Amino acid sequence: TNIEAVAAVEPDLVLATTGVQSDAIQQLEDIGAVVVAVDPQTLEELYSSIVMVGEVTGTAEKADALVADMRAGIEYVSELAAQEEPVACFIEIAQDPLFTAGSGILLDDLITAAGGRNVVTEPGYVPYSLEQLLQDDPAVYLATLGSMSDPADLKERPGFEALSAVRNERVVVLEDNLVSRPGPRIVQGVGEIAVALHPGLFAE
């Protein structure tokens, strides 16, 4: 099992994230490992998690410096994006059925930091209907390319051709690793979203 594979390397510390069950954590602790659960759901929780990992690994100064750099990078993008009005957008994270990111989670924080206004106000990960989407009619349609979502066929999906974002060719594919995995590369993800929302401001 996975627990046996972890036990084989005799770790002193195990960082656990989403989906790790409490009994698995207990088994890891039984082999003598210190288990630290890290599951940040917002930007602030991500910063706190990095600081905590730094403390438990004896690299607190590096962690503090990393967080300071991340904050500075995101603030730079946010200040530039603030020169324009927030752009109404939607982000697809799964397509069949259609799922999106609502308020109170990391993706929503990234959209806000990039100068966007998420049209989805319900909290958490939200199933969404085409009818709701057409009613919201976001200016920009963001999508993560991964196993659950392939936005390449967006124009061919029945009804989607009526969306302003599709008609105006403002459908943007984001790299999943940059926006969905909490870590330092989130800063790059905010930059990608900002370019999608405010192409004039962030033109190279």
Side-chain angles (χ1 to χ4, degrees):
T1 67
N2 289 334
I3 297 293
E4 289 169 347
V6 173
V9 299
E10 300 181 350
D12 298 315
L13 173 70
V14 175
L15 297 176
T17 185
T18 311
V20 177
Q21 303 299 318
S22 57
D23 60 337
I25 290 176
Q26 184 62 54
Q27 286 178 274
L28 290 166
E29 289 177 338
D30 288 344
I31 66 168
V34 174
V35 181
V36 177
V38 180
D39 188 19
Q41 296 297 316
T42 66
L43 265 176
E44 285 302 322
E45 287 181 11
L46 173 57
Y47 297 144
S48 298
S49 295
I50 292 171
V51 169
M52 180 180 67
V53 171
E55 288 172 353
V56 298
T57 57
T59 58
E61 285 187 17
K62 287 184 179 179
D64 289 344
L66 175 59
V67 168
D69 285 347
M70 290 174 66
R71 284 186 184 276
I74 289 177
E75 283 172 13
Y76 171 77
V77 173
S78 295
E79 286 172 7
L80 261 180
Q83 294 177 36
E84 296 182 351
E85 288 296 312
V87 176
C89 62
F90 174 90
I91 186 163
E92 172 185 301
I93 56 176
Q95 71 184 61
D96 190 20
L98 184 64
F99 260 80
T100 185
S103 64
I105 57 175
L106 186 59
L107 275 169
D108 188 63
D109 276 2
L110 303 189
I111 288 169
T112 301
R117 177 181 63 79
N118 192 350
V119 296
V120 182
T121 56
E122 294 94 327
Y125 296 99
V126 184
Y128 230 60
S129 68
L130 176 60
E131 290 72 25
Q132 287 174 295
L133 188 56
L134 289 170
Q135 185 174 344
D136 293 332
D137 199 24
V140 177
Y141 194 103
L142 305 169
T144 57
L145 178 60
S147 59
M148 295 186 295
S149 174
D150 183 3
D153 67 347
L154 205 68
K155 288 181 181 178
E156 280 73 51
R157 297 185 201 171
F160 277 69
E161 72 281 353
L163 289 170
S164 296
V166 173
R167 291 199 314 272
N168 298 327
E169 298 185 345
R170 298 198 68 186
V171 176
V172 179
V173 180
L174 304 170
E175 186 181 334
D176 190 47
N177 287 340
L178 298 184
V179 297
S180 299
R181 295 187 180 181
R185 296 180 74 195
I186 285 292
V187 178
Q188 193 177 339
V190 170
E192 279 203 4
I193 296 171
V195 169
L197 301 177
H198 305 279
L201 285 177
F202 292 92
E204 292 182 355

